[in-house]
Amino acid sequence: MSVAPDTLIHPALRVAVIGAGYWGPNLARNFAMSTEWELVAICDMDMARAEALARKTGNPAVVGSMDELLASHAIDAVAIATPARTHHQIAMQAIAAGKHVVVEKPLADNSVHGAQMVQAAAEARTILMADHTYCYTPAVLKIRDLLAAGELGEILYIDSTRINLGLVQPDVDVFWDLAPHDLSILDFVIPGGLNTRNVTALGSDPLRAGKSCIGYLSMELDSGILAHINVNWLSPTKIRQMVIGGSKKTLVWDDLNPQQRLTVFDRGVDLERQEMIRADSEDRKGATISYRLGDTWSPALSEFEPLGLMVSEFAASIRGSRPAPTDGPSALRVLRVLEDASLSLAAGSIPQATSNRKTLVMGNVL
């Protein structure tokens, strides 16, 4: 008796989590809870830390190196949760062994390494996926649907704020620490992705930490959208907000408002009326701005764990031999904007055109 393709029961895919530090436990927990995955091993040079995590996630095997992992365990994929400077080496070794890879942000420490990872995965026909977790939240998925449906009209501008009283990171500035979240969201929701004409970054270091602790990132996209991101480690108030302005409507996402995360405003400048005024130069001189006043509504959102959806999408991409929603090329676009931001800072906040990009390692110009 034949079974319809969508009712076939697949054996669980076998995965190892590499890195048992800050983010590794979150990945291990979600892989262990998923019916689509079997968590086979935890890999970390700190064996005590790896063993502690293994005890919390079903007692998978514990190994201290990639060589031991690949030699001793049959796995389909690895999830990398180690410092960014190690992503390239680990991912390339896994891809060379025919394993699928999901890696936490950023994809790598520079775009040359990132591009090598993307190319290697393509040649090996393995899945390379970035764990851009925000892209799997109910709010961001809804935003993507609204933009794809043209609900807001032509996107004119995007303004994002991600500020809090946060930990000053030892190896990266505030742009590399916080902006990847916003950049990955923009790449995910904007039709066609995050393709920039130029990038300008302005940073401040009032703590004398030797790196920007406050940052303003402005981008002009190929589509004509003007995007702006404010990141800050020093704010006593935590704000996670994004405003997306369109020719028809404007969307406001307040991630810290559980009752009303998304709000769509059908009000603003009447751009069609302004175009009519612009066509007549005499009328334009004496004309006032025409405003549109409409309804405000909040879309209903589902509730689920974003990381749970991420690991499910990773499995679906492997089984379907299709790019992941946050695939290697999308993560590489994010990485290149971060590099352009660092170049702009190094040049005294001069706008950096995409064609002028140089190679950087974690914000340091080579």
Side-chain angles (χ1 to χ4, degrees), residues 195-201 217-222 225-227 337 340-341 344 350-357:
N195 297 297
T196 58
R197 292 177 185 169
N198 56 68
V199 175
T200 306
L217 178 61
S218 297
M219 299 167 286
E220 183 183 7
L221 308 188
D222 285 346
I225 298 171
L226 185 63
V337 173
D340 285 341
S344 178
I350 295 175
Q352 298 297 302
T354 300
S355 60
N356 294 336
R357 184 182 294 112

PDB file of all heavy atoms in Angstrom, residues 195-201 217-222 225-227 337 340-341 344 350-357:
ATOM      1  N   ASN A 195      20.077  44.264   0.273  1.00  0.00           N
ATOM      2  CA  ASN A 195      21.079  44.648  -0.719  1.00  0.00           C
ATOM      3  C   ASN A 195      21.283  46.150  -0.638  1.00  0.00           C
ATOM      4  O   ASN A 195      20.400  46.935  -0.978  1.00  0.00           O
ATOM      5  CB  ASN A 195      20.616  44.239  -2.115  1.00  0.00           C
ATOM      6  CG  ASN A 195      20.467  42.726  -2.242  1.00  0.00           C
ATOM      7  OD1 ASN A 195      21.429  41.988  -2.118  1.00  0.00           O
ATOM      8  ND2 ASN A 195      19.241  42.263  -2.466  1.00  0.00           N
ATOM      9  N   THR A 196      22.458  46.567  -0.186  1.00  0.00           N
ATOM     10  CA  THR A 196      22.716  47.972   0.116  1.00  0.00           C
ATOM     11  C   THR A 196      23.477  48.672  -1.001  1.00  0.00           C
ATOM     12  O   THR A 196      24.322  48.075  -1.677  1.00  0.00           O
ATOM     13  CB  THR A 196      23.528  48.116   1.413  1.00  0.00           C
ATOM     14  OG1 THR A 196      24.761  47.402   1.268  1.00  0.00           O
ATOM     15  CG2 THR A 196      22.768  47.533   2.596  1.00  0.00           C
ATOM     16  N   ARG A 197      23.185  49.972  -1.155  1.00  0.00           N
ATOM     17  CA  ARG A 197      23.992  50.830  -2.021  1.00  0.00           C
ATOM     18  C   ARG A 197      25.150  51.419  -1.238  1.00  0.00           C
ATOM     19  O   ARG A 197      26.262  51.517  -1.744  1.00  0.00           O
ATOM     20  CB  ARG A 197      23.130  51.967  -2.579  1.00  0.00           C
ATOM     21  CG  ARG A 197      22.051  51.530  -3.552  1.00  0.00           C
ATOM     22  CD  ARG A 197      21.213  52.722  -3.980  1.00  0.00           C
ATOM     23  NE  ARG A 197      20.098  52.313  -4.833  1.00  0.00           N
ATOM     24  CZ  ARG A 197      19.089  53.115  -5.177  1.00  0.00           C
ATOM     25  NH1 ARG A 197      19.072  54.379  -4.730  1.00  0.00           N
ATOM     26  NH2 ARG A 197      18.127  52.670  -5.945  1.00  0.00           N
ATOM     27  N   ASN A 198      24.853  51.822  -0.001  1.00  0.00           N
ATOM     28  CA  ASN A 198      25.904  52.362   0.862  1.00  0.00           C
ATOM     29  C   ASN A 198      25.514  52.196   2.317  1.00  0.00           C
ATOM     30  O   ASN A 198      24.336  52.027   2.641  1.00  0.00           O
ATOM     31  CB  ASN A 198      26.196  53.833   0.532  1.00  0.00           C
ATOM     32  CG  ASN A 198      24.961  54.702   0.612  1.00  0.00           C
ATOM     33  OD1 ASN A 198      24.428  54.924   1.701  1.00  0.00           O
ATOM     34  ND2 ASN A 198      24.497  55.208  -0.527  1.00  0.00           N
ATOM     35  N   VAL A 199      26.528  52.250   3.178  1.00  0.00           N
ATOM     36  CA  VAL A 199      26.351  52.064   4.618  1.00  0.00           C
ATOM     37  C   VAL A 199      27.155  53.136   5.342  1.00  0.00           C
ATOM     38  O   VAL A 199      28.324  53.370   5.014  1.00  0.00           O
ATOM     39  CB  VAL A 199      26.832  50.667   5.065  1.00  0.00           C
ATOM     40  CG1 VAL A 199      26.754  50.521   6.585  1.00  0.00           C
ATOM     41  CG2 VAL A 199      26.025  49.569   4.382  1.00  0.00           C
ATOM     42  N   THR A 200      26.529  53.787   6.329  1.00  0.00           N
ATOM     43  CA  THR A 200      27.206  54.792   7.140  1.00  0.00           C
ATOM     44  C   THR A 200      27.019  54.449   8.608  1.00  0.00           C
ATOM     45  O   THR A 200      25.907  54.154   9.045  1.00  0.00           O
ATOM     46  CB  THR A 200      26.636  56.199   6.879  1.00  0.00           C
ATOM     47  OG1 THR A 200      26.674  56.477   5.478  1.00  0.00           O
ATOM     48  CG2 THR A 200      27.437  57.256   7.633  1.00  0.00           C
ATOM     49  N   ALA A 201      28.109  54.484   9.369  1.00  0.00           N
ATOM     50  CA  ALA A 201      28.042  54.176  10.801  1.00  0.00           C
ATOM     51  C   ALA A 201      28.655  55.318  11.601  1.00  0.00           C
ATOM     52  O   ALA A 201      29.701  55.854  11.240  1.00  0.00           O
ATOM     53  CB  ALA A 201      28.774  52.880  11.101  1.00  0.00           C
ATOM     54  N   LEU A 217      23.477  53.298  12.646  1.00  0.00           N
ATOM     55  CA  LEU A 217      23.799  52.691  11.361  1.00  0.00           C
ATOM     56  C   LEU A 217      22.719  53.082  10.353  1.00  0.00           C
ATOM     57  O   LEU A 217      21.535  52.817  10.565  1.00  0.00           O
ATOM     58  CB  LEU A 217      23.856  51.168  11.518  1.00  0.00           C
ATOM     59  CG  LEU A 217      24.133  50.309  10.295  1.00  0.00           C
ATOM     60  CD1 LEU A 217      25.499  50.645   9.708  1.00  0.00           C
ATOM     61  CD2 LEU A 217      24.073  48.835  10.662  1.00  0.00           C
ATOM     62  N   SER A 218      23.138  53.729   9.260  1.00  0.00           N
ATOM     63  CA  SER A 218      22.209  54.145   8.211  1.00  0.00           C
ATOM     64  C   SER A 218      22.564  53.453   6.907  1.00  0.00           C
ATOM     65  O   SER A 218      23.748  53.331   6.561  1.00  0.00           O
ATOM     66  CB  SER A 218      22.245  55.664   8.025  1.00  0.00           C
ATOM     67  OG  SER A 218      21.824  56.327   9.193  1.00  0.00           O
ATOM     68  N   MET A 219      21.553  53.017   6.181  1.00  0.00           N
ATOM     69  CA  MET A 219      21.760  52.296   4.927  1.00  0.00           C
ATOM     70  C   MET A 219      20.772  52.753   3.877  1.00  0.00           C
ATOM     71  O   MET A 219      19.597  52.971   4.163  1.00  0.00           O
ATOM     72  CB  MET A 219      21.554  50.790   5.149  1.00  0.00           C
ATOM     73  CG  MET A 219      22.484  50.147   6.140  1.00  0.00           C
ATOM     74  SD  MET A 219      21.908  48.485   6.602  1.00  0.00           S
ATOM     75  CE  MET A 219      20.518  48.910   7.655  1.00  0.00           C
ATOM     76  N   GLU A 220      21.264  52.908   2.657  1.00  0.00           N
ATOM     77  CA  GLU A 220      20.392  53.100   1.508  1.00  0.00           C
ATOM     78  C   GLU A 220      20.388  51.794   0.734  1.00  0.00           C
ATOM     79  O   GLU A 220      21.445  51.289   0.344  1.00  0.00           O
ATOM     80  CB  GLU A 220      20.897  54.236   0.625  1.00  0.00           C
ATOM     81  CG  GLU A 220      19.968  54.532  -0.550  1.00  0.00           C
ATOM     82  CD  GLU A 220      20.516  55.606  -1.472  1.00  0.00           C
ATOM     83  OE1 GLU A 220      21.679  56.026  -1.275  1.00  0.00           O
ATOM     84  OE2 GLU A 220      19.791  55.997  -2.401  1.00  0.00           O
ATOM     85  N   LEU A 221      19.204  51.222   0.537  1.00  0.00           N
ATOM     86  CA  LEU A 221      19.093  49.942  -0.139  1.00  0.00           C
ATOM     87  C   LEU A 221      18.889  50.128  -1.637  1.00  0.00           C
ATOM     88  O   LEU A 221      18.465  51.189  -2.103  1.00  0.00           O
ATOM     89  CB  LEU A 221      17.931  49.131   0.449  1.00  0.00           C
ATOM     90  CG  LEU A 221      17.913  48.960   1.975  1.00  0.00           C
ATOM     91  CD1 LEU A 221      16.824  47.982   2.374  1.00  0.00           C
ATOM     92  CD2 LEU A 221      19.265  48.515   2.506  1.00  0.00           C
ATOM     93  N   ASP A 222      19.185  49.076  -2.391  1.00  0.00           N
ATOM     94  CA  ASP A 222      19.011  49.130  -3.841  1.00  0.00           C
ATOM     95  C   ASP A 222      17.569  49.461  -4.220  1.00  0.00           C
ATOM     96  O   ASP A 222      17.311  50.066  -5.262  1.00  0.00           O
ATOM     97  CB  ASP A 222      19.405  47.786  -4.468  1.00  0.00           C
ATOM     98  CG  ASP A 222      20.912  47.584  -4.508  1.00  0.00           C
ATOM     99  OD1 ASP A 222      21.637  48.578  -4.309  1.00  0.00           O
ATOM    100  OD2 ASP A 222      21.350  46.443  -4.737  1.00  0.00           O
ATOM    101  N   ILE A 225      14.843  52.032  -0.297  1.00  0.00           N
ATOM    102  CA  ILE A 225      14.484  52.124   1.121  1.00  0.00           C
ATOM    103  C   ILE A 225      15.637  52.755   1.902  1.00  0.00           C
ATOM    104  O   ILE A 225      16.796  52.421   1.686  1.00  0.00           O
ATOM    105  CB  ILE A 225      14.170  50.729   1.694  1.00  0.00           C
ATOM    106  CG1 ILE A 225      12.974  50.100   0.980  1.00  0.00           C
ATOM    107  CG2 ILE A 225      13.910  50.802   3.200  1.00  0.00           C
ATOM    108  CD1 ILE A 225      12.743  48.639   1.352  1.00  0.00           C
ATOM    109  N   LEU A 226      15.305  53.665   2.799  1.00  0.00           N
ATOM    110  CA  LEU A 226      16.286  54.211   3.730  1.00  0.00           C
ATOM    111  C   LEU A 226      16.068  53.518   5.073  1.00  0.00           C
ATOM    112  O   LEU A 226      14.980  53.586   5.645  1.00  0.00           O
ATOM    113  CB  LEU A 226      16.103  55.722   3.874  1.00  0.00           C
ATOM    114  CG  LEU A 226      17.149  56.441   4.736  1.00  0.00           C
ATOM    115  CD1 LEU A 226      18.533  56.320   4.112  1.00  0.00           C
ATOM    116  CD2 LEU A 226      16.772  57.909   4.918  1.00  0.00           C
ATOM    117  N   ALA A 227      17.109  52.837   5.569  1.00  0.00           N
ATOM    118  CA  ALA A 227      17.003  52.084   6.823  1.00  0.00           C
ATOM    119  C   ALA A 227      17.979  52.639   7.850  1.00  0.00           C
ATOM    120  O   ALA A 227      19.107  53.026   7.513  1.00  0.00           O
ATOM    121  CB  ALA A 227      17.281  50.601   6.582  1.00  0.00           C
ATOM    122  N   VAL A 337      27.272  43.857   5.588  1.00  0.00           N
ATOM    123  CA  VAL A 337      26.841  45.161   6.107  1.00  0.00           C
ATOM    124  C   VAL A 337      27.613  45.497   7.381  1.00  0.00           C
ATOM    125  O   VAL A 337      28.019  46.645   7.588  1.00  0.00           O
ATOM    126  CB  VAL A 337      25.325  45.174   6.370  1.00  0.00           C
ATOM    127  CG1 VAL A 337      24.913  46.468   7.074  1.00  0.00           C
ATOM    128  CG2 VAL A 337      24.554  45.039   5.062  1.00  0.00           C
ATOM    129  N   ASP A 340      30.921  46.762   6.324  1.00  0.00           N
ATOM    130  CA  ASP A 340      30.819  48.126   5.801  1.00  0.00           C
ATOM    131  C   ASP A 340      30.676  49.134   6.939  1.00  0.00           C
ATOM    132  O   ASP A 340      31.207  50.242   6.870  1.00  0.00           O
ATOM    133  CB  ASP A 340      29.625  48.244   4.853  1.00  0.00           C
ATOM    134  CG  ASP A 340      29.893  47.590   3.508  1.00  0.00           C
ATOM    135  OD1 ASP A 340      31.074  47.377   3.180  1.00  0.00           O
ATOM    136  OD2 ASP A 340      28.926  47.276   2.791  1.00  0.00           O
ATOM    137  N   ALA A 341      29.950  48.761   7.990  1.00  0.00           N
ATOM    138  CA  ALA A 341      29.804  49.644   9.145  1.00  0.00           C
ATOM    139  C   ALA A 341      31.161  49.898   9.791  1.00  0.00           C
ATOM    140  O   ALA A 341      31.491  51.036  10.159  1.00  0.00           O
ATOM    141  CB  ALA A 341      28.840  49.033  10.157  1.00  0.00           C
ATOM    142  N   SER A 344      33.178  52.222   7.635  1.00  0.00           N
ATOM    143  CA  SER A 344      32.697  53.592   7.770  1.00  0.00           C
ATOM    144  C   SER A 344      33.222  54.226   9.050  1.00  0.00           C
ATOM    145  O   SER A 344      33.674  55.375   9.051  1.00  0.00           O
ATOM    146  CB  SER A 344      31.164  53.608   7.754  1.00  0.00           C
ATOM    147  OG  SER A 344      30.667  54.917   7.936  1.00  0.00           O
ATOM    148  N   ILE A 350      32.359  58.032   7.097  1.00  0.00           N
ATOM    149  CA  ILE A 350      32.108  58.297   5.683  1.00  0.00           C
ATOM    150  C   ILE A 350      31.288  57.145   5.119  1.00  0.00           C
ATOM    151  O   ILE A 350      31.579  55.980   5.389  1.00  0.00           O
ATOM    152  CB  ILE A 350      33.429  58.436   4.907  1.00  0.00           C
ATOM    153  CG1 ILE A 350      34.200  59.674   5.398  1.00  0.00           C
ATOM    154  CG2 ILE A 350      33.192  58.505   3.404  1.00  0.00           C
ATOM    155  CD1 ILE A 350      35.562  59.831   4.771  1.00  0.00           C
ATOM    156  N   PRO A 351      30.258  57.443   4.311  1.00  0.00           N
ATOM    157  CA  PRO A 351      29.461  56.364   3.721  1.00  0.00           C
ATOM    158  C   PRO A 351      30.327  55.416   2.898  1.00  0.00           C
ATOM    159  O   PRO A 351      31.223  55.854   2.165  1.00  0.00           O
ATOM    160  CB  PRO A 351      28.461  57.115   2.830  1.00  0.00           C
ATOM    161  CG  PRO A 351      28.370  58.478   3.427  1.00  0.00           C
ATOM    162  CD  PRO A 351      29.738  58.778   3.965  1.00  0.00           C
ATOM    163  N   GLN A 352      30.066  54.127   3.036  1.00  0.00           N
ATOM    164  CA  GLN A 352      30.811  53.105   2.314  1.00  0.00           C
ATOM    165  C   GLN A 352      29.934  52.475   1.245  1.00  0.00           C
ATOM    166  O   GLN A 352      28.911  51.865   1.553  1.00  0.00           O
ATOM    167  CB  GLN A 352      31.315  52.029   3.278  1.00  0.00           C
ATOM    168  CG  GLN A 352      32.273  52.537   4.338  1.00  0.00           C
ATOM    169  CD  GLN A 352      33.543  53.085   3.742  1.00  0.00           C
ATOM    170  OE1 GLN A 352      34.263  52.381   3.019  1.00  0.00           O
ATOM    171  NE2 GLN A 352      33.852  54.344   4.056  1.00  0.00           N
ATOM    172  N   ALA A 353      30.325  52.649  -0.020  1.00  0.00           N
ATOM    173  CA  ALA A 353      29.601  51.999  -1.102  1.00  0.00           C
ATOM    174  C   ALA A 353      29.945  50.518  -1.121  1.00  0.00           C
ATOM    175  O   ALA A 353      31.053  50.116  -0.751  1.00  0.00           O
ATOM    176  CB  ALA A 353      29.966  52.636  -2.440  1.00  0.00           C
ATOM    177  N   THR A 354      28.996  49.696  -1.533  1.00  0.00           N
ATOM    178  CA  THR A 354      29.207  48.254  -1.544  1.00  0.00           C
ATOM    179  C   THR A 354      30.444  47.880  -2.345  1.00  0.00           C
ATOM    180  O   THR A 354      31.218  46.997  -1.962  1.00  0.00           O
ATOM    181  CB  THR A 354      27.973  47.543  -2.138  1.00  0.00           C
ATOM    182  OG1 THR A 354      26.836  47.850  -1.354  1.00  0.00           O
ATOM    183  CG2 THR A 354      28.176  46.043  -2.159  1.00  0.00           C
ATOM    184  N   SER A 355      30.698  48.558  -3.438  1.00  0.00           N
ATOM    185  CA  SER A 355      31.817  48.216  -4.310  1.00  0.00           C
ATOM    186  C   SER A 355      33.169  48.518  -3.677  1.00  0.00           C
ATOM    187  O   SER A 355      34.204  48.051  -4.138  1.00  0.00           O
ATOM    188  CB  SER A 355      31.701  48.968  -5.639  1.00  0.00           C
ATOM    189  OG  SER A 355      31.703  50.372  -5.409  1.00  0.00           O
ATOM    190  N   ASN A 356      33.189  49.325  -2.595  1.00  0.00           N
ATOM    191  CA  ASN A 356      34.445  49.713  -1.962  1.00  0.00           C
ATOM    192  C   ASN A 356      34.831  48.824  -0.794  1.00  0.00           C
ATOM    193  O   ASN A 356      35.778  49.111  -0.075  1.00  0.00           O
ATOM    194  CB  ASN A 356      34.350  51.165  -1.452  1.00  0.00           C
ATOM    195  CG  ASN A 356      34.211  52.146  -2.592  1.00  0.00           C
ATOM    196  OD1 ASN A 356      34.612  51.864  -3.713  1.00  0.00           O
ATOM    197  ND2 ASN A 356      33.632  53.305  -2.296  1.00  0.00           N
ATOM    198  N   ARG A 357      34.105  47.710  -0.581  1.00  0.00           N
ATOM    199  CA  ARG A 357      34.310  46.892   0.596  1.00  0.00           C
ATOM    200  C   ARG A 357      35.689  46.239   0.608  1.00  0.00           C
ATOM    201  O   ARG A 357      36.183  45.758  -0.405  1.00  0.00           O
ATOM    202  CB  ARG A 357      33.240  45.801   0.662  1.00  0.00           C
ATOM    203  CG  ARG A 357      33.303  44.938   1.894  1.00  0.00           C
ATOM    204  CD  ARG A 357      32.257  43.844   1.878  1.00  0.00           C
ATOM    205  NE  ARG A 357      30.940  44.428   1.951  1.00  0.00           N
ATOM    206  CZ  ARG A 357      30.079  44.391   0.946  1.00  0.00           C
ATOM    207  NH1 ARG A 357      30.413  43.825  -0.178  1.00  0.00           N
ATOM    208  NH2 ARG A 357      28.875  44.915   1.067  1.00  0.00           N
TER     209      ARG A 357
END
